[in-house]
Amino acid sequence: MAASTLNPYDLYDVRSMLSEEEVMVQDTVARFTDERVLPIIGDCFDKGVFPTDLIPEMAELGLLGSSLPTDYGCAGMNAVSYGLICQELERGDSGIRSFASVQSSLCMYPIYAYGSEEQRRRWLPDMAAGKVIGCFGLTEPHGGSDPANMKTNAKRDGGDWIINGAKMWITNGNLAHIAIVWAQTEEGIQGFIVEKGMPGFVAQEIHKKMSLRASVTSGLFFDNVRVPDASRLPNVKGLKGPLGCLTQARYGITWGPIGAAIACLHEATEYAKTRVLFNKPIAATQSVQLKLADMARRITQAQLLSLQLGRLKDAGRMQPTQVSLAKWNNVRMALDIAREARDILGGAGITTEYSPIRHALNLESVITYEGTETVHQLVVGRELTGINAF
């Protein structure tokens, strides 16, 4: 039988649907992941540290705020290119992609979309260069799925605002020079740029994590933090501000887990070809081939979902429900594949010498953050029925 000419990790030749620039972006980030992330990430996960030395290299490649205009020192790429960046970074590790997602979609985007021109000029070039790191303060200790029930508040005091409250599960918290903090005011929820070192603002790193260990996760605490009105994001009020940011980030998250799933399928396939039981490689058994084939099927579905979502986004026609459907489908896909790949690897699968257990543990967070799986299912249900079941 003739050898297949198909790419086993791109069975529908999605790559042929990409523009020349999109292919170049994917190849560049893939090379960065192969050469700089994969050799170190297992040890980073084991030790519970984020590889901060990669930040300047990510900035140099234009991966921070990649979709924002070149006027602010950003790369001005399209949405599909941003998705491919997320896919290749998460093929390395969810923590690396999370860093880029938070910096780009949750911090730089709101400054660009909701900030003043002065705020854009002050912060975005340095953020694109990796000189200023941001974090996004929305989720609170009492729960994250109901942001309207926000306890953190900001009260006017002359020309300033006084912020009190707490945020929890904040990626980049202890790395960050600034925090985009959402707080209740008399005029509704508003966003503020809170700078590290402001009196009363403390970030406290969260330890003992079994997921996203190669990522910094923190609690943020605000005790009468005085912030000038010039640090308030002036162009949005209400929940549409933070939810608009989350839609941007969730879009990238639909792509990221595809990379994790491909990494798991690759390792499971290669292992199955060399692992010999009962005088033949386990890849020659029907049970293993069925598992690998199902992984490829689900990855293909996810690739097509995210590519179409990216084309809709670039056309200005992407709807939040479409993002929810893809986030739900693609993260569930990747988590299931990571677990199945771990099983194919047998005992070897529980060590970080191989990636599936690390990806599986990371994806337990990805399936929860920025909208739990249940929340996204209910968003789709509401679209179908017109009834809000939250």
Side-chain angles (χ1 to χ4, degrees):
M1 186 173 65
S4 172
T5 58
L6 292 177
N7 178 343
Y9 312 112
D10 184 13
L11 291 180
Y12 265 42
D13 199 13
V14 169
R15 189 173 167 88
S16 70
M17 305 178 203
L18 303 179
S19 70
E20 189 174 322
E21 180 182 348
E22 290 160 356
V23 168
M24 183 181 69
V25 169
Q26 181 174 23
D27 288 348
T28 299
V29 185
R31 189 162 51 248
F32 169 77
T33 295
D34 289 340
E35 296 175 359
R36 302 293 292 127
V37 178
L38 292 179
I40 65 170
I41 200 63
D43 285 341
C44 291
F45 188 92
D46 286 344
K47 295 172 183 176
V49 297
F50 176 78
T52 54
D53 56 322
L54 296 182
I55 296 174
E57 298 179 46
M58 295 171 72
E60 183 69 24
L61 293 174
L63 308 188
L64 306 180
S66 62
S67 299
L68 298 183
T70 55
D71 289 354
Y72 302 105
C74 301
M77 298 182 197
N78 69 359
V80 170
S81 293
Y82 174 55
L84 292 164
I85 289 169
C86 291
Q87 177 178 310
E88 293 302 330
L89 290 180
E90 194 146 353
R91 187 169 59 81
D93 191 82
S94 300
I96 306 298
R97 196 268 310 143
S98 291
F99 171 83
S101 288
V102 169
Q103 180 81 346
S104 301
S105 296
L106 297 183
C107 297
M108 297 176 71
Y109 172 78
I111 292 173
Y112 171 71
Y114 309 138
S116 65
E117 185 61 19
E118 181 182 359
Q119 289 168 343
R120 296 184 193 117
R121 296 289 175 191
R122 178 181 179 187
W123 296 113
L124 293 180
D126 281 348
M127 296 181 80
K131 296 175 182 177
V132 171
I133 306 305
C135 66
F136 180 81
L138 178 64
T139 299
E140 298 193 340
H142 59 275
S145 292
D146 183 14
N149 189 28
M150 189 179 294
K151 309 297 184 189
T152 299
N153 64 82
K155 297 182 178 178
R156 283 190 181 272
D157 184 39
D160 298 333
W161 295 82
I162 306 298
I163 300 178
N164 283 283
K167 303 292 182 178
M168 189 57 71
W169 311 116
I170 308 303
T171 298
N172 298 351
N174 279 71
L175 289 177
H177 304 93
I178 62 172
I180 306 298
V181 178
W182 300 93
Q184 289 279 12
T185 74
E186 291 183 353
E187 304 165 51
I189 291 171
Q190 297 196 67
F192 299 85
I193 303 172
V194 181
E195 299 178 44
K196 182 178 181 179
M198 285 182 164
F201 173 36
V202 176
Q204 184 174 324
E205 190 165 357
I206 297 169
H207 297 288
K208 299 184 179 180
K209 296 184 300 179
M210 295 303 290
S211 180
L212 293 178
R213 289 181 52 78
S215 177
V216 173
T217 311
S218 308
L220 308 181
F221 302 93
F222 308 91
D223 182 11
N224 291 318
V225 179
R226 181 175 292 274
V227 178
D229 189 59
S231 294
R232 179 178 58 87
L233 298 176
N235 295 324
V236 75
K237 290 180 182 175
L239 265 181
K240 67 181 180 180
L243 294 183
C245 302
L246 289 172
T247 296
Q248 300 297 315
R250 287 167 182 153
Y251 163 75
I253 291 172
T254 76
W255 288 83
I258 298 170
I262 288 172
C264 292
L265 173 58
H266 172 72
E267 285 200 345
T269 303
E270 294 305 306
Y271 184 86
K273 290 176 182 177
T274 58
R275 176 64 166 164
V276 176
L277 287 178
F278 306 109
N279 299 316
K280 63 181 179 180
I282 62 173
T285 65
Q286 290 186 4
S287 60
V288 169
Q289 286 201 13
L290 288 173
K291 290 178 180 180
L292 297 175
D294 192 59
M295 293 182 195
R297 173 184 65 86
R298 298 183 68 176
I299 287 171
T300 300
Q301 291 173 331
Q303 288 169 323
L304 294 170
L305 267 181
S306 283
L307 180 62
Q308 172 64 1
L309 190 66
R311 297 296 184 222
L312 289 169
K313 191 175 193 305
D314 279 323
R317 296 192 290 118
M318 184 182 80
Q319 298 295 317
T321 299
Q322 295 167 329
V323 182
S324 286
L325 179 63
K327 200 261 186 184
W328 160 26
N329 182 82
N330 292 7
V331 184
R332 169 54 61 187
M333 169 278 299
L335 181 55
D336 290 348
I337 285 175
R339 291 170 174 168
E340 197 72 81
R342 204 288 316 152
D343 183 65
I344 290 173
L345 290 166
I350 69 167
T351 77
T352 53
E353 293 293 318
Y354 296 91
S355 68
I357 190 67
R358 175 168 53 82
H359 284 302
L361 290 168
N362 285 338
L363 290 162
E364 291 287 355
S365 291
V366 180
I367 206 166
T368 296
Y369 70 31
E370 298 190 37
T372 66
E373 182 175 65
T374 303
V375 163
H376 289 301
Q377 290 170 324
L378 293 176
V379 168
V380 176
R382 181 177 62 193
E383 191 74 35
L384 295 175
T385 65
I387 301 170
N388 189 345
F390 289 96

